[in-house]
Amino acid sequence: SQTIHQWPATLVQPVGSPLSLECTVEGTSNPNLYWYRQAAGRGLQLLFYSVGIGQISSEVPQNLSASRPQDRQFILSSKKLLLSDSGFYLCAWSPRGADTEAFFGQGTRLTVV
Amino acid sequence: GDSVTQMEGPVTLSEEAFLTINCTYTATGYPSLFWYVQYPGEGLQLLLKATKADDKGSNKGFEATYRKETTSFHLEKGSVQVSDSAVYFCALSSGTYKYIFGTGTRLKVLA
């Protein structure tokens, strides 16, 4: 069966520090991969998605970047964190093809102080 | 672009009450529709889905019917339990690799 791993679960970082969140998927190949952010009390904002290695689409201009160095690995990064980067970050994957749902990781709670 | 609008919460109900959470969508083409549930501090779990008009998705006593004529996918449950307290998200996928979510509706069920 397929599983998605996302880490760390919680992270407290000072303003101006770098960020690296990692997500890996097991049990499938060539998945679509996604990073979402959920601000406190708000909905999900799609940040990045990827349909293949090295292929990254950005939905919102911001202080973050994403990379997909391997087929089932998706990394969210920042060179210098801002206070506004605080939130709950969710990685997700979906199989290729239409009419399928997305599967989510457990999320990372990022607090920038 | 595609969008999902769902009723704002919080929704507070007594145990065994009837639940409706409204969801409407705007999309080009024929999207698939989903309801996800999020428990505190966790990721999202798929609750149910429907992939074409008039389909009814159901799971754990929850139901939603894909209504193309009213572009709606309202979530219903006949008798809620305290354990149903969570945030519920309506979402769509229209074949562009992207999943578009509503803002979420917090449900609180009181014993």
Side-chain angles (χ1 to χ4, degrees):
Chain A
S1 64
Q2 302 90 356
T3 56
I4 179 169
H5 301 282
Q6 184 182 344
W7 68 93
T10 59
L11 192 59
V12 180
Q13 291 285 96
V15 170
S17 64
L19 173 73
S20 180
L21 302 181
E22 189 162 342
C23 173
T24 60
V25 181
E26 295 179 355
T28 188
S29 59
N30 209 22
N32 298 321
L33 295 171
Y34 308 85
W35 279 111
Y36 285 86
R37 177 169 60 198
Q38 185 178 20
R42 301 178 66 179
L44 274 70
Q45 179 185 40
L46 178 61
L47 302 176
F48 302 95
Y49 68 95
S50 171
V51 300
I53 296 174
Q55 298 180 58
I56 308 295
S57 296
S58 173
E59 288 293 297
V60 181
Q62 57 205 317
N63 186 41
L64 301 169
S65 63
S67 62
R68 184 172 179 172
Q70 299 181 41
D71 181 44
R72 292 169 291 171
Q73 184 184 29
F74 206 24
I75 298 172
L76 183 69
S77 303
S78 173
K79 292 182 179 178
K80 288 185 178 181
L81 284 168
L82 306 172
L83 287 174
S84 58
D85 292 324
S86 294
F88 193 51
Y89 289 83
L90 290 158
C91 181
W93 75 275
S94 71
R96 291 302 170 94
D99 303 335
T100 57
E101 63 267 31
F103 300 89
F104 283 81
Q106 289 298 295
T108 296
R109 172 73 59 193
L110 171 66
T111 304
V112 182
V113 295
Chain B
D2 297 349
S3 66
V4 173
T5 302
Q6 61 182 104
M7 61 188 290
E8 294 207 15
V11 174
T12 303
L13 297 173
S14 298
E15 205 165 25
E16 299 184 2
F18 185 86
L19 169 70
T20 299
I21 300 178
N22 291 336
C23 171
T24 57
Y25 67 90
T26 302
T28 54
Y30 303 96
S32 295
L33 301 174
F34 310 91
W35 276 102
Y36 283 83
V37 59
Q38 183 182 33
Y39 299 101
E42 297 185 6
L44 276 68
Q45 303 173 27
L46 179 71
L47 183 59
L48 53 83
K49 69 177 182 181
T51 59
K52 61 182 186 297
D54 300 325
D55 266 2
K56 177 186 282 188
S58 62
N59 185 26
K60 300 180 180 180
F62 291 89
E63 293 182 339
T65 300
Y66 189 142
R67 302 287 189 199
K68 187 170 182 291
E69 63 276 13
T70 55
T71 62
S72 65
F73 192 54
H74 304 321
L75 182 68
E76 296 182 335
K77 187 175 185 183
S79 177
V80 294
Q81 305 300 312
V82 172
S83 57
D84 294 327
S85 299
V87 180
Y88 293 82
F89 291 92
C90 184
L92 69 81
S93 172
S94 60
T96 60
Y97 306 112
K98 293 189 288 187
Y99 294 80
I100 306 300
F101 286 81
T103 53
T105 301
R106 182 174 300 278
L107 170 65
K108 185 173 183 180
V109 181
L110 304 175

